[in-house]
Amino acid sequence: MYSIKELQEIISKEVEGLSLPVTPAELYEPIRYLMAIGGKRMRPVLTLMGCNLFSNEIEQAKIPALGLEVFHNFTLMHDDIMDNAPIRRGKETVHEKWNANVAILSGDVMLVKAYELMMQSPDKYLRPVLNIFNKTAAEVCEGQQIDMNFEQYKTVQVEEYVNMIALKTAVLLGASLQIGALLGNASETDAEHLYQFGKNLGIAFQLQDDILDVYGAPEKFGKQVGGDIIANKKTFLLIKALELADAETLISLERWLNTEVFISEQKVNAITGIYNQLNVKELAEAEMLRYVNLALGHLNQINIASERKQLLDEFANQLLVREH
Amino acid sequence: MYSIKELQEIISKEVEGLSLPVTPAELYEPIRYLMAIGGKRMRPVLTLMGCNLFSNEIEQAKIPALGLEVFHNFTLMHDDIMDNAPIRRGKETVHEKWNANVAILSGDVMLVKAYELMMQSPDKYLRPVLNIFNKTAAEVCEGQQIDMNFEQYKTVQVEEYVNMIALKTAVLLGASLQIGALLGNASETDAEHLYQFGKNLGIAFQLQDDILDVYGAPEKFGKQVGGDIIANKKTFLLIKALELADAETLISLERWLNTEVFISEQKVNAITGIYNQLNVKELAEAEMLRYVNLALGHLNQINIASERKQLLDEFANQLLVREH
């Protein structure tokens, strides 16, 4: 079996080899730009891992894996317009470097390209692969819409929040594994368990992200500590704090949420203090662990020798101990 | 064989029956809204016509035909953002009625939905249908980008212009027919001829549009006469006039193009006068006729009884004599 590092190298080569027309430059240059600035290539690596779990031959999964990475980058290109984000992976976003129209249309053609790559699945798997891809692509759009809607809501329930992160992020991780499994000739049942492994792990990963934003060591996490707090982002921590706060704490919390002019450090310290008082970090960790266990339960049910599953175990651990 | 009217009724029912999720409403309501405000449903009708040309059974083409209409409406939703258009078919555009973010994301999910519908082709035709659809979808994006680029150019060559209208409009008409033909079990050669028929007819149709904008009877054409002239749109007429004008006429023409404050009627009259003097209407009609003949030449080569081709002949005539 391939190591994670080997799979990452295979994907790097596939990304470098991605063939796109030269003109019109405004349409294809932004795709090359965004694809080249990197990222962890998590989705295509998962596809190859999913395939390799059931088959020693992974050649047939390389191009569809690339398709999933192109799809993911398409969602980034359009999400960045909608979120008005100036920077992605340390570089100017496409709509900043060019303009919003370029980012819209270049993103559109990227989605078409993603389908073209997904279609390079063997005949036998074409329809099942595209069915999963279609369903997932629609869900990712739904997740982004629900996330944008949350900005307008005063309160959000934990279940709504988990549903949103599942749609926006986790289902694509699950689908990447599932598509890889099918291309490795897994049974439908095993492929479905692998999907559930990826989806639940993705939810856990996102919950960890919420925790790390507040409690992560900045030098390891690579983001501004408290960024979510500063932006009033409705994370698991904030949702839970709003739910659990007594009258007095709620007044204090809402005062910080409604103050437009503030010193960032003071706001972060004050809200972190409330989180600590309400133990929401521990609640988030418990919820995260619940999803990790759900994921591992599905991995456990897959009908292959347990030594083949070690790499996914390792991957899950790599994902989930970024700060410890 | 079905009449055009019968096929339009079949498509209307398919559009009405289009099943979409209810939530998130911001994602799916704009799709229902745009699909409901109508249009000629030209593309799906062409798909059914293409199918019916080779097969008395058209059931298998209905859903892919609907997919092509959804795709077309996706391009309208995104083009209207890029063109900053407030009105589409007499109603507010989606980005006006909601906002640009809604129009971006709702359009994205529409493209996914279009693929989902195209995929409801029988196994035998799945890969060929999706190959044509993919290629065409990318070309339509390229056409839109080239069209936007033209706004920045001082001059455009006739060949560049025809290439742009082919990509932006004509290839989708060709592909609609070709996909229908394949679903009617046509040979690849016949389906390719039908594609060329539709593509060339589409170019002719677009050239006619340029002529009608200036020379059409307003009550029949349904648009403002001279709208292209007022907007300095690089139509076949303007491109040809810039190419053929002598020094003195060119100065006069460019003065009108560069004047920002003007009385619309005066500008339309002046530039129409230059078009008349240079006979560009006749040149456009000749070019249009050339593409009509190319189209009919391909129709002629299709290997079926000529009486089956009458409907497409009729359709071509309906398209091309809107003002006479």
Side-chain angles (χ1 to χ4, degrees):
Chain A
M1 286 180 82
Y2 293 90
S3 70
I4 295 180
K5 198 161 168 292
E6 284 168 333
L7 295 176
Q8 278 169 332
E9 279 160 15
I10 290 171
I11 290 302
S12 289
K13 279 203 195 104
E14 290 298 324
V15 170
E16 280 165 30
L18 175 64
S19 153
L20 295 166
V22 174
T23 60
E26 296 80 1
L27 202 56
Y28 292 110
E29 194 50 38
I31 303 178
R32 270 185 283 270
Y33 169 79
L34 187 57
M35 292 296 293
I37 59 180
K40 293 185 291 292
R41 314 295 189 200
M42 204 193 292
R43 290 144 198 89
V45 168
L46 285 173
T47 302
L48 296 187
M49 283 170 74
C51 181
N52 199 200
L53 201 60
F54 300 94
S55 159
N56 291 322
E57 182 54 75
I58 60 165
E59 189 60 34
Q60 70 282 15
K62 286 183 187 173
I63 304 294
L66 179 61
L68 287 157
E69 181 66 10
V70 170
F71 173 77
H72 173 59
N73 279 270
F74 142 75
T75 66
L76 300 181
M77 200 186 277
H78 276 191
D79 284 3
D80 283 342
I81 312 172
M82 293 182 250
D83 301 340
N84 215 357
I87 301 289
R88 161 76 56 191
R89 297 168 187 156
K91 302 258 185 182
E92 275 180 295
T93 46
V94 167
H95 66 98
E96 278 284 317
K97 193 174 162 72
W98 285 269
N99 58 57
N101 283 356
V102 161
I104 292 171
L105 199 58
S106 189
D108 289 347
V109 88
M110 243 175 138
L111 178 52
V112 171
K113 190 76 196 173
Y115 273 98
E116 197 187 306
L117 295 166
M118 298 314 297
M119 273 183 63
Q120 291 184 45
S121 302
D123 281 350
K124 184 179 165 188
Y125 308 117
L126 180 61
R127 196 178 284 278
V129 164
L130 289 179
N131 279 338
I132 297 165
F133 184 69
N134 265 337
K135 172 172 168 287
T136 307
E139 286 174 342
V140 171
C141 293
E142 291 175 9
Q144 167 69 3
Q145 184 64 54
I146 296 171
D147 193 19
M148 292 195 296
N149 289 349
F150 281 178
E151 287 172 30
Q152 319 300 324
Y153 296 173
K154 203 169 171 324
T155 57
V156 168
Q157 301 302 309
V158 167
E159 296 70 32
E160 294 176 301
Y161 178 70
V162 171
N163 177 53
M164 183 279 284
I165 60 178
L167 292 171
K168 186 169 171 169
T169 312
V171 294
L172 185 58
L173 301 176
S176 298
L177 280 164
Q178 187 182 19
I179 286 171
L182 291 178
L183 292 168
N185 207 27
S187 73
E188 260 187 56
T189 311
D190 281 346
E192 174 65 24
H193 279 305
L194 200 53
Y195 172 80
Q196 292 295 343
F197 166 78
K199 181 177 163 181
N200 284 293
L201 197 67
I203 295 170
F205 179 70
Q206 203 57 46
L207 291 170
Q208 178 180 253
D209 225 47
D210 288 359
I211 299 168
L212 290 181
D213 180 78
V214 180
Y215 297 100
E219 70 281 6
K220 291 197 189 160
F221 188 45
K223 288 185 194 172
Q224 180 185 23
V225 170
D228 290 346
I229 290 178
I230 293 164
N232 285 354
K233 193 148 183 285
K234 293 190 185 70
T235 65
F236 184 92
L237 301 172
L238 178 55
I239 291 166
K240 214 63 199 170
L242 285 166
E243 188 188 311
L244 297 177
D246 59 24
E248 190 190 346
T249 311
L250 193 61
I251 288 168
S252 167
L253 182 54
E254 289 194 330
R255 196 188 305 124
W256 277 110
L257 296 177
N258 295 324
T259 302
E260 303 213 343
V261 181
F262 52 81
I263 295 164
S264 296
E265 206 187 328
Q266 285 184 358
K267 180 173 177 178
V268 172
N269 286 340
I271 293 189
T272 304
I274 294 172
Y275 288 171
N276 291 340
Q277 176 200 326
L278 296 170
N279 286 320
V280 291
K281 184 192 178 199
E282 288 68 23
L283 293 171
E285 284 171 341
E287 188 76 353
M288 182 187 131
L289 203 62
R290 195 166 74 80
Y291 283 101
V292 172
N293 286 332
L294 280 172
L296 294 176
H298 282 286
L299 187 61
N300 198 34
Q301 288 180 69
I302 294 174
N303 196 19
I304 49 167
S306 64
E307 60 267 26
R308 288 194 86 89
K309 298 178 190 172
Q310 274 175 8
L311 197 68
L312 281 171
D313 244 357
E314 186 191 318
F315 181 77
N317 285 321
Q318 270 194 20
L319 267 187
L320 295 172
V321 292
R322 287 181 296 162
E323 58 118 29
H324 301 294
Chain B
M1 286 178 83
Y2 292 89
S3 70
I4 295 180
K5 198 158 170 293
E6 284 168 333
L7 295 176
Q8 279 170 331
E9 279 161 15
I10 290 171
I11 291 301
S12 288
K13 279 203 195 104
E14 291 298 325
V15 171
E16 280 165 32
L18 174 63
S19 153
L20 293 167
V22 174
T23 60
E26 297 79 2
L27 201 56
Y28 292 110
E29 194 51 38
I31 303 179
R32 269 185 283 270
Y33 169 78
L34 187 57
M35 291 296 292
I37 60 180
K40 293 184 291 293
R41 315 293 189 200
M42 206 192 292
R43 291 146 198 88
V45 168
L46 285 173
T47 302
L48 297 187
M49 283 170 74
C51 182
N52 199 199
L53 201 60
F54 299 94
S55 160
N56 290 323
E57 182 55 74
I58 60 166
E59 190 59 35
Q60 71 282 15
K62 285 182 187 174
I63 304 293
L66 179 61
L68 287 157
E69 182 66 10
V70 170
F71 173 77
H72 173 59
N73 279 270
F74 143 73
T75 67
L76 299 181
M77 200 187 277
H78 276 191
D79 284 3
D80 283 343
I81 312 171
M82 295 182 249
D83 301 341
N84 214 357
I87 300 289
R88 161 75 58 190
R89 297 169 187 156
K91 303 259 184 181
E92 275 179 295
T93 48
V94 168
H95 65 99
E96 278 284 317
K97 192 174 162 74
W98 284 270
N99 58 57
N101 283 355
V102 161
I104 291 171
L105 199 59
S106 189
D108 289 346
V109 88
M110 244 175 137
L111 179 52
V112 172
K113 189 77 196 173
Y115 272 98
E116 196 187 307
L117 296 166
M118 298 314 296
M119 273 184 64
Q120 292 185 43
S121 302
D123 281 350
K124 184 180 166 189
Y125 308 116
L126 180 61
R127 196 178 285 277
V129 163
L130 289 179
N131 279 338
I132 297 165
F133 184 69
N134 265 336
K135 174 172 167 285
T136 306
E139 286 174 342
V140 170
C141 293
E142 292 176 9
Q144 167 69 4
Q145 184 63 54
I146 296 170
D147 193 19
M148 292 195 295
N149 288 349
F150 282 178
E151 287 172 31
Q152 320 300 324
Y153 296 171
K154 205 170 170 321
T155 56
V156 169
Q157 301 302 309
V158 166
E159 296 70 31
E160 294 176 301
Y161 177 70
V162 171
N163 178 53
M164 183 278 284
I165 59 178
L167 292 171
K168 186 169 172 171
T169 311
V171 295
L172 184 58
L173 301 176
S176 297
L177 280 164
Q178 187 183 18
I179 286 172
L182 290 178
L183 293 168
N185 208 26
S187 72
E188 260 188 56
T189 312
D190 280 347
E192 174 65 27
H193 279 305
L194 200 54
Y195 171 80
Q196 292 296 342
F197 166 78
K199 181 177 163 180
N200 284 293
L201 196 68
I203 296 171
F205 179 70
Q206 203 58 46
L207 291 170
Q208 178 181 253
D209 225 48
D210 289 358
I211 299 169
L212 291 181
D213 180 77
V214 180
Y215 296 101
E219 70 281 7
K220 289 195 189 161
F221 189 45
K223 289 186 194 172
Q224 182 185 20
V225 171
D228 290 346
I229 291 179
I230 292 165
N232 284 354
K233 193 149 185 284
K234 291 191 187 68
T235 65
F236 184 91
L237 300 171
L238 178 57
I239 291 166
K240 213 67 198 168
L242 285 165
E243 186 188 313
L244 297 177
D246 59 24
E248 192 190 344
T249 311
L250 193 61
I251 288 168
S252 166
L253 182 54
E254 290 194 329
R255 196 188 305 125
W256 277 110
L257 295 176
N258 295 323
T259 301
E260 303 215 341
V261 181
F262 53 81
I263 295 163
S264 297
E265 205 187 329
Q266 286 184 359
K267 180 173 176 177
V268 172
N269 286 341
I271 294 190
T272 305
I274 294 173
Y275 287 172
N276 291 341
Q277 176 200 325
L278 296 170
N279 286 321
V280 291
K281 183 192 179 197
E282 287 70 22
L283 293 172
E285 285 171 340
E287 188 76 352
M288 181 187 134
L289 203 63
R290 195 165 75 79
Y291 283 102
V292 172
N293 286 332
L294 279 172
L296 295 175
H298 282 287
L299 187 61
N300 198 34
Q301 286 179 70
I302 294 175
N303 196 19
I304 49 165
S306 64
E307 60 269 25
R308 288 194 86 89
K309 299 178 189 172
Q310 274 174 8
L311 196 68
L312 281 172
D313 243 358
E314 185 191 319
F315 181 77
N317 285 321
Q318 270 192 21
L319 267 188
L320 295 171
V321 291
R322 287 182 296 164
E323 57 117 29
H324 302 293

